Amino acid sequence: MTGGSRGIGRGIVWELAREGAKVAFVYRSNTEAANQLVKDLELDQREVMAIQADVADPESANTVVESVLEAWEQIDILVNNAGIIRDGLLATMDHDQWQDVIDTNLGSVYRFSHAVTRPMMSQRHGRIINISSVASHFGNPGQANYAASKGGIEGMTRCLATELGRRGITVNAVAPGFIETDMTEAIRNMAEAEIVKKVSCRRLGRPEDIAHATVFLASDEASYITGHVLVVDGGLTLGGL
Ligand code: NAP
């Protein structure tokens, strides 16, 4: 699981652990939040491991996957969740703004998926779940880098599903709408009421809304679903009144 210390990732770690999975999660900088999550779940007798690594670093995926395999011998589920925004109009978007988002959001999905594929193929079972975004379907000004990364994730999800289905591995994506996390704090402060009006369910999403969909896709009950993008947005993209 990448990006597990805060927000949606924290919600997914929590729900997977509560369902009985041993969960190893990667975080980049917020050691305090990561340690607190481990502590809270250990109090509930859950087995959780926090690993500090930068998913944009090309070496990180192999190192992380090797350390999890060393500790627990197998990996059944990979959730590619870590993501960042570096918004800006294209005319002023510098190369780092573009590349940081592509390396973190899209490059990490390639590298972590690549690192788990052989172990999952040899155990003939696996679940890969990629966290995309409805932003890949919108034309939000200022999000060319982010939308490109998430569109790439959805294309990759379909290709990997085709490649890996015969090996017992399903590959799906979850596309959240507008979720209450640190990532959306600035825009919520500016326009929460306007956004809520556009959501059919008339509320913002919560990390657990995404976590429940992810846990379902990771379950045995979802074994015949692959290459799918599950939109979890309370109806935001329906465009109704
Ligand atoms: P968030 O609150 O900003 O949390 C991001 C998490 O990812 C943190 O745990 C962070 O760890 C980790 N992370 C970021 N960059 C990393 C890196 N380079 N290496 C390792 N870990 C890294 O974000 P969020 O809102 O939960 O978003 C999670 C995912 O959902 C992202 O892929 C995002 O694009 C997607 N999404 C979010 C929304 C939304 O409305 N919030 C909507 C659609 C899609 P540290 O704290 O330790 O740095």
Side-chain angles (χ1 to χ4, degrees):
M1 160 92 210
T2 66
S5 54
R6 292 181 294 117
I8 290 170
R10 184 185 188 284
I12 296 170
V13 171
W14 187 269
E15 292 299 328
L16 283 171
R18 295 293 301 256
E19 287 294 322
K22 292 182 190 170
V23 186
F25 70 87
V26 176
Y27 69 101
R28 182 183 46 187
S29 52
N30 199 328
T31 303
E32 201 184 330
N35 288 345
Q36 188 61 51
L37 179 57
V38 172
K39 212 164 129 191
D40 290 347
L41 282 162
E42 282 178 349
L43 276 177
D44 199 30
Q45 317 299 323
R46 310 291 160 175
E47 227 175 316
V48 187
M49 188 197 305
I51 303 170
Q52 184 167 26
D54 180 351
V55 300
D57 172 355
E59 306 299 322
S60 68
N62 285 332
T63 311
V64 168
V65 166
E66 275 164 27
S67 66
V68 177
L69 286 173
E70 206 172 295
W72 291 340
E73 288 173 14
Q74 69 184 76
I75 295 176
D76 298 305
I77 304 163
L78 167 67
V79 182
N80 286 305
N81 164 77
I84 56 169
I85 45 171
R86 296 280 184 273
D87 293 354
L89 297 174
L90 190 71
T92 52
M93 182 182 288
D94 64 31
H95 186 260
D96 285 350
Q97 243 174 311
W98 168 264
Q99 204 60 45
D100 287 351
V101 170
I102 297 298
D103 286 346
T104 304
N105 298 11
L106 182 59
S108 69
V109 178
Y110 155 66
R111 287 185 292 273
F112 275 82
S113 302
H114 185 261
V116 300
T117 294
R118 279 178 191 277
M120 283 184 179
M121 278 176 15
S122 41
Q123 70 204 29
R124 299 198 72 78
H125 177 270
R127 296 275 185 272
I128 299 176
I129 298 149
N130 301 320
I131 306 302
S132 177
S133 170
V134 295
S136 66
H137 308 277
F138 285 138
N140 289 341
Q143 291 209 305
N145 49 1
Y146 186 73
S149 73
K150 296 301 187 179
I153 283 175
E154 294 187 10
M156 200 193 305
T157 297
R158 288 184 279 271
C159 294
L160 298 188
T162 311
E163 290 181 25
L164 299 174
R166 76 198 72 178
R167 310 287 190 151
I169 303 167
T170 65
V171 187
N172 291 289
V174 175
F178 206 97
I179 313 299
E180 279 181 77
T181 67
D182 296 342
M183 183 180 272
T184 56
E185 191 183 357
I187 188 158
R188 276 189 284 119
N189 290 342
M190 281 189 302
E192 178 162 340
E194 287 309 302
I195 295 161
V196 168
K197 273 190 218 158
K198 294 186 177 159
V199 180
S200 313
C201 295
R202 290 295 189 271
R203 68 167 174 86
L204 299 184
R206 303 178 190 116
E208 56 266 32
D209 293 316
I210 307 308
H212 292 144
T214 306
V215 167
F216 167 65
L217 289 172
S219 71
D220 288 343
E221 287 71 24
S223 65
Y224 204 55
I225 301 172
T226 196
H228 188 72
V229 178
L230 179 54
V231 173
V232 183
D233 71 347
L236 176 67
T237 44
L238 296 175
L241 292 174

